[in-house]
């Protein structure tokens, strides 16, 4: 009887220890860059859908994490989600701000058809101008690109807002398609953000 009780106590302790270990490892590590399992945006708690590294040739450019109200694996479902959303980029190297801006603009243009682009052409122009106001992007810099209902697309660099909010949700979805579209900027990053590479 004592042996059974002791075994049960040991198993319970082991189970608790494992659950604490799991919660302690909740953050995802991407080449030494950690993404927390949750983020608060627009007063709502978002879950990390997936994270991965953007590489160009063999050079690591930035680590990216996608935060959503609920986890999704299909791009169409992500684009239809209501509530806040966030893309977090952590730079893995120094970059010229205009180079990052051009890469984003190219990614948007690659994944929109003419009719989609014509509806948000003004917002795309503002997005490009935003990077003209940034001196440089340094290794370790953190950029958040948030969708906040009632406010719009809000971008922050190291906690400071850059540019003005863009109200149209179609624009935020166009930004998401840089990484999640049919022609993503990095074909190995897309499945990572969709949670397939865990």
């Amino acid at each position: 009887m004592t042996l059974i009780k002791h075994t049960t106590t040991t198993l319970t302790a082991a189970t608790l220890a494992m659950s604490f270990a799991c919660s302690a490892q909740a953050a995802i590590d991407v080449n030494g860059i950690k993404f927390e399992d949750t983020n608060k945006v627009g007063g709502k708690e978002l879950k990390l859908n997936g994270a991965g590294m953007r590489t160009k040739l063999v050079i690591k450019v930035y680590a990216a994490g996608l935060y959503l109200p609920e986890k999704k694996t299909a791009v169409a479902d992500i684009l239809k989600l209501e509530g806040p959303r966030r893309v977090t980029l952590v730079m893995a190297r120094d970059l010229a701000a205009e180079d990052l801006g051009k890469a984003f603009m190219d990614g948007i243009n690659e994944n929109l058809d003419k009719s989609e682009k014509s509806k948000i052409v003004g917002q795309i122009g503002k997005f490009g101008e935003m990077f003209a106001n940034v001196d440089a992007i340094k290794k370790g810099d953190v950029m958040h690109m948030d969708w906040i209902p009632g406010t719009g697309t809000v971008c922050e660099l190291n906690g400071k807002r850059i540019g003005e909010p863009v109200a149209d949700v179609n624009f935020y979805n166009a930004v998401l398609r840089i990484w999640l579209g049919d022609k993503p900027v990095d074909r190995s990053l897309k499945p990572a953000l969709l949670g397939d590479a865990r």
Side-chain angles (χ1 to χ4, degrees):
M1 192 76 169
T2 309
L3 181 61
I4 292 170
K5 189 176 179 183
H6 176 72
T7 306
T8 307
T9 306
T10 305
L11 282 171
T12 305
T15 306
L16 279 170
M18 280 178 66
S19 70
F20 283 130
C22 287
S23 60
Q25 294 169 356
I28 289 182
D29 187 302
V30 178
N31 292 98
I33 297 169
K34 288 190 170 54
F35 288 88
E36 294 304 321
D37 205 41
T38 60
N39 260 201
K40 193 164 267 193
V41 176
K44 304 282 185 186
E45 192 164 275
L46 304 184
K47 296 172 182 157
L48 182 63
N49 200 68
M53 183 64 71
R54 157 76 170 122
T55 56
K56 190 170 184 179
L57 302 175
V58 294
I59 299 166
K60 294 179 177 69
V61 183
Y62 54 76
L66 174 64
Y67 290 88
L68 302 172
E70 54 192 87
K71 293 192 179 184
K72 297 286 182 188
T73 55
V75 175
D77 293 338
I78 291 169
L79 299 181
K80 285 189 292 192
L81 273 173
E82 295 184 2
R85 289 172 277 169
R86 164 171 281 181
V87 173
T88 294
L89 306 179
V90 182
M91 299 303 145
R93 61 190 291 261
D94 293 354
L95 285 173
E98 58 266 29
D99 290 347
L100 185 63
K102 183 181 182 305
F104 286 164
M105 298 295 278
D106 289 348
I108 288 173
N109 288 322
E110 279 286 304
N111 287 285
L112 292 182
D113 62 32
K114 280 184 183 175
S115 125
E116 289 172 315
K117 204 181 298 181
S118 68
K119 291 174 187 168
I120 57 169
V121 68
Q123 290 98 312
I124 294 172
K126 278 187 190 173
F127 189 63
E129 288 166 15
M130 181 179 78
F131 290 95
N133 300 319
V134 177
D135 293 333
I137 307 282
K138 300 290 186 188
K139 182 177 179 180
D141 281 356
V142 178
M143 181 177 281
H144 296 306
M145 306 172 86
D146 298 337
W147 169 254
I148 303 174
T151 301
T153 298
V154 175
C155 296
E156 285 185 355
L157 181 63
N158 299 326
K160 290 178 71 174
R161 187 177 286 193
I162 52 173
E164 293 300 316
V166 179
D168 192 341
V169 71
N170 291 314
F171 172 74
Y172 191 77
N173 284 339
V175 171
L176 286 182
R177 284 157 71 177
I178 295 170
W179 304 281
L180 303 179
D182 293 335
K183 297 176 183 175
V185 62
D186 186 323
R187 293 204 172 271
S188 63
L189 179 55
K190 179 178 176 177
L193 294 175
L194 294 174
D196 294 347
R198 292 196 183 195

